Amino acid sequence: YQNEINDGALYTYSVGLGYRTNSFFVDFAYVYKMSHQKYWFYDPSMVNPVHQNFESNCIVGTFGFKL
């Protein structure tokens, strides 16, 4: 990334919760990702940048049992 315009940073936050007994388990998690960057379609001296914001939300779960 030239001239420190975009640093390529990706921020990820997550939280999870689970429960287990002798016969089964269940887990849930939430993940949030975000990044920001400026993008020029043409020469930066001729046009203003496009500000791009990327966000992702994901909820996942698992369930299992013992035989």
Side-chain angles (χ1 to χ4, degrees), residues 1-65:
Y1 297 97
Q2 298 176 357
N3 301 326
E4 298 181 11
I5 295 172
N6 295 315
D7 61 3
L10 173 66
Y11 301 96
T12 303
Y13 304 97
S14 64
V15 63
L17 181 66
Y19 181 74
R20 180 178 69 165
T21 68
N22 289 334
S23 59
F24 76 95
F25 64 89
V26 63
D27 298 295
F28 295 99
Y30 169 74
V31 180
Y32 174 72
K33 295 180 185 180
M34 72 173 174
S35 68
H36 307 283
Q37 70 177 14
K38 295 177 184 175
Y39 183 78
W40 284 264
F41 288 104
Y42 302 102
D43 186 340
S45 65
M46 297 171 51
V47 295
N48 292 327
V50 174
H51 296 273
Q52 296 177 322
N53 297 318
F54 300 101
E55 295 184 18
S56 172
N57 295 284
C58 186
I59 298 173
V60 294
T62 60
F63 175 78
F65 58 93

